[in-house]
Every structure is written in structure tokens, then in C-alpha cells.
Amino acid sequence: MPAQRVKFYQTGSFVVGNRLLDPEHRTVQADTHRTNSLNSGHRACQGCGEALGARYALDAAMRATDNQMVAVNATGCLEVFSTPYPESSWQIPWLHSLFGNAPAVATGVAAALKVKGRADVRVVGQGGDGGTVDIGFGCLSGMFERNDDVLFICYDNEAYMNTGVQRSGATPPAARTATTPAVGDAPGNVFGQGKNVPLIAMAHEIPYVATATVSDLHDLEAKVRRAMECRGARYLHVLVPCPLGWGSASCDTIRVARLATQSGLFPVFEAEGGEVVAVTHIRKLVSVEEYLRVQKRYAHLFHPTRRSDVIAHIQARADRNVRRFGLLDTGEQ
Ligand SMILES: Cc1ncc(C[n+]2csc(CCOP(=O)(O)OP(=O)(O)O)c2C)c(N)n1
Ligand code: SF4
Ligand SMILES: [Mg+2]
């Protein structure tokens, strides 16, 4: 029997996991020559998953492109906290688009680079779930169906955080937001609405679609690297907890993201040409209740009376993901 390879999950920067890895397997963040694409000094809340995810993703993209990259950013928290005019925390070529047209602007940048014969310069578009799933969706679908040479990254914090936590098409059922209050028989966001953009992206049969979370930053970097190895339209959907909107502790961002994956509520996978090619299996299955309990946006499911019916409904959704993606299957990952 070959010795089992040790997998280090906490490999963020200078922690022990990184130091024990071979240099070529260490994270981009562990490299003192990383770009620091999103530099310190920005105004994100403490524990912001979006800031963490964007920093890792764009530093990985810069490494993968030998620093030949332009980023286009939709309006949203990521843009607002990083770029209060006349200051900016971005240390890369970076354009701010409108809320709803980042994929189209990124396509335009890619087309301009093509005309200039600069195939070496790559384009990344990025936005929140509102900018991606809702208002920017038409532009995104167009970018997909034309197979434009852009990697689009959605940082999914499951609501419109920048404007005060309003529901988006990615807000999960039963979650409380400013527009889905915790009142009535069916409190919070309704069941049976919203959309799953990773699956919709797969339906466009684009070269690469993947999901990731900030609970496995090494995996996030690897997926960005893989995406930059491909040409054409690529989509990366990253779950990024928002302490302010989710009512979770700032120090719990990684933990909450991990509970989302370990409960099956957020499946982590890769797809090529519309087919799932890899799945990150659940290491230790947890109930959805463990995930819900650490977030005040679900507090109404436990107080003043326990809503076992709603919790069971959410559990059924997680169970369906486990079945659909084979999240508990054993074997090679
Ligand atoms: C056409 C238009 N409508 C509304 C707004 C106001 N607005 C700016 S950002 C935002 C929400 C952003 O939500 P999301 O894309 O999920 O990003 P987050 O802030 O959550 O990271 C809204 C409604 C706008 N800028 N433009
Ligand atoms: S509101 Fe949420 S997404 Fe916005 S900066 Fe704060 S933690 Fe980040
Ligand atoms: Mg959002």
C-alpha cells in the first residue's frame, strides 16, 4: 500500500501547512513575491470573506499570467471598500464597470487586447452575486455563449451587501435579509426561487466552471490556476461569508464557509465542457443545523420556537446536493 498523502487544509500563508509542503505546492500567498493585488488599507469589514477570496484569487491569477492581467470589477462591496476615490487598494490594472455590465466590459477589454495582438494579456471579470446572478446575468450569459476569453469570478455572499443586505437570486431559502424579513408562517426568503449559476454556466458548455470557498484557499488558488490554463469563457463561483449580512462572528468566516461545504449545502466541484470532472468530497458530514445556528440570519428558525419543518426542508436541499454531486463517495478525488 502506498503511504497516504497528507493533505494540509490550513495552508493560507506562513502557517505550518505551507512550511511542510514542497515549495512548488505552497500557496501563492506564501510567496513573498506575491503581487498583493488587493493590498492592505481597504475598508472591508473585519472577517470579510469577499476581501479574502478576491485577494487569493487575483494573486493566483497574476501568478498564472506572469503578471499580464487586467481585472474588471462590478459595483458592489468589493469595489466600494477597495476604491474610495481617490484612493485604491488595487495594485494591478483594474477597471470599475457598472453594477450590471462587468462581463460585457471584460469582453470588450479582451476584444481590444486581441485587436492589439496582445494574446499574452489575460482578462478577469469579477463581481458579487447581485452583479452576477441578477443584474449582470444577461451580459454573463452572452459572454458564455460567445465563449469570450474571460475568467469571470462571482464572490457569492448571498445578498446585496453593499446597499444594506437585500435579497439576491443567490440568497438561500429562509435567510433573513432586509427585503425578506423574518415574519409570518414562512419567515425569511422563500423556497423555490433563485438560481444556481454554476449549473447554468455548465449548461452553456463553456470550457471551465468551478466552485470554491474561502475555507479551502489552496483549492481556490488551484482553480484559478486551472482556469487560466484554458482559453475561452470560464466561470468561478466562490462562497464568501459576510459577517455583517450573515450575522456571523468575524472570526468565524472560514468556519462558516467550511460548514457550508461539510453540510452539503455548497457543493465544491469542477466541470469542463458542461460535465462535472472533479468533486471535493465531504470529510466530515455535519447537519445543516450546525451551519444555520452560527448565523443570525437564521436565528428565527430557532427562536422563539424551533422551526423543525423549515430546517428539515433545508436539510433535504443539502441531501439532494450530496446525491447529485456524489459528495460522500469514496475513491480518488
Ligand atoms: C443599476 C444599479 N442599480 C443599483 C445599484 C446600487 N447597488 C450598488 S452595489 C449593489 C448591490 C451589490 O450586491 P452584490 O453584487 O451581491 O455585491 P456585494 O456588495 O454583496 O459584494 C446595488 C444594489 C447600482 N449601482 N446600479
Ligand atoms: S458588508 Fe460583507 S461583503 Fe461587504 S465589506 Fe462587510 S463583510 Fe465584506
Ligand atoms: Mg452579494
Side-chain angles (χ1 to χ4, degrees), residues 44-45 48 50 77 81 157 161 242-245:
C45 309
C48 174
E50 190 166 77
C77 264
F81 72 61
N157 52 24
M161 299 309 179
C242 163
L244 182 132

Side-chain angles (χ1 to χ4, degrees), residues 50 74-81 96 98-100 127-135 155-164 166 168 240 242:
E50 190 166 77
T75 303
C77 264
L78 182 59
E79 166 262 328
V80 169
F81 72 61
H96 173 211
L98 298 176
F99 182 27
D129 49 297
T132 306
V133 172
D134 293 341
I135 192 171
Y155 301 104
D156 182 7
N157 52 24
E158 303 188 330
Y160 294 12
M161 299 309 179
N162 175 56
T163 40
Q166 294 88 16
S168 81
V240 291
C242 163

Side-chain angles (χ1 to χ4, degrees), residues 77-141:
C77 264
L78 182 59
E79 166 262 328
V80 169
F81 72 61
S82 66
T83 321
Y85 182 82
E87 297 159 4
S88 176
S89 288
W90 294 102
Q91 303 204 108
I92 53 173
W94 182 91
L95 276 100
H96 173 211
S97 70
L98 298 176
F99 182 27
N101 69 351
V105 174
T107 288
V109 174
L113 288 166
K114 190 173 174 190
V115 167
K116 289 171 83 71
R118 294 297 307 269
D120 56 320
V121 183
R122 310 297 300 280
V123 184
V124 171
Q126 51 180 1
D129 49 297
T132 306
V133 172
D134 293 341
I135 192 171
F137 185 71
C139 295
L140 185 71
S141 178

Side-chain angles (χ1 to χ4, degrees), residues 111-271:
L113 288 166
K114 190 173 174 190
V115 167
K116 289 171 83 71
R118 294 297 307 269
D120 56 320
V121 183
R122 310 297 300 280
V123 184
V124 171
Q126 51 180 1
D129 49 297
T132 306
V133 172
D134 293 341
I135 192 171
F137 185 71
C139 295
L140 185 71
S141 178
M143 188 203 109
F144 288 164
E145 65 92 4
R146 290 186 304 267
N147 201 21
D148 294 327
D149 190 21
V150 173
L151 166 63
F152 197 89
I153 305 176
C154 172
Y155 301 104
D156 182 7
N157 52 24
E158 303 188 330
Y160 294 12
M161 299 309 179
N162 175 56
T163 40
V165 197
Q166 294 88 16
R167 176 200 178 275
S168 81
T171 301
R176 184 197 63 200
T177 68
T179 47
T180 57
V183 294
D185 279 348
N189 193 30
V190 292
F191 282 83
Q193 294 185 0
K195 46 185 139 158
N196 186 325
V197 172
L199 294 183
I200 298 173
M202 281 171 62
H204 289 74
E205 300 190 0
I206 56 177
Y208 186 73
V209 174
T211 63
T213 79
V214 289
S215 69
D216 190 346
L217 292 161
H218 218 153
D219 178 65
L220 171 60
E221 286 186 347
K223 283 169 176 166
V224 171
R225 191 174 60 240
R226 173 80 193 102
M228 298 317 283
E229 285 167 3
C230 310
R231 290 279 175 173
R234 288 144 288 142
Y235 181 69
L236 182 55
H237 192 102
V238 190
L239 186 73
V240 291
C242 163
L244 182 132
W246 293 17
S248 51
S250 296
C251 59
D252 271 350
T253 294
I254 304 287
R255 180 171 158 237
V256 175
R258 183 169 298 128
L259 289 170
T261 63
Q262 298 304 290
S263 62
L265 277 174
F266 189 86
V268 178
F269 65 92
E270 288 177 290

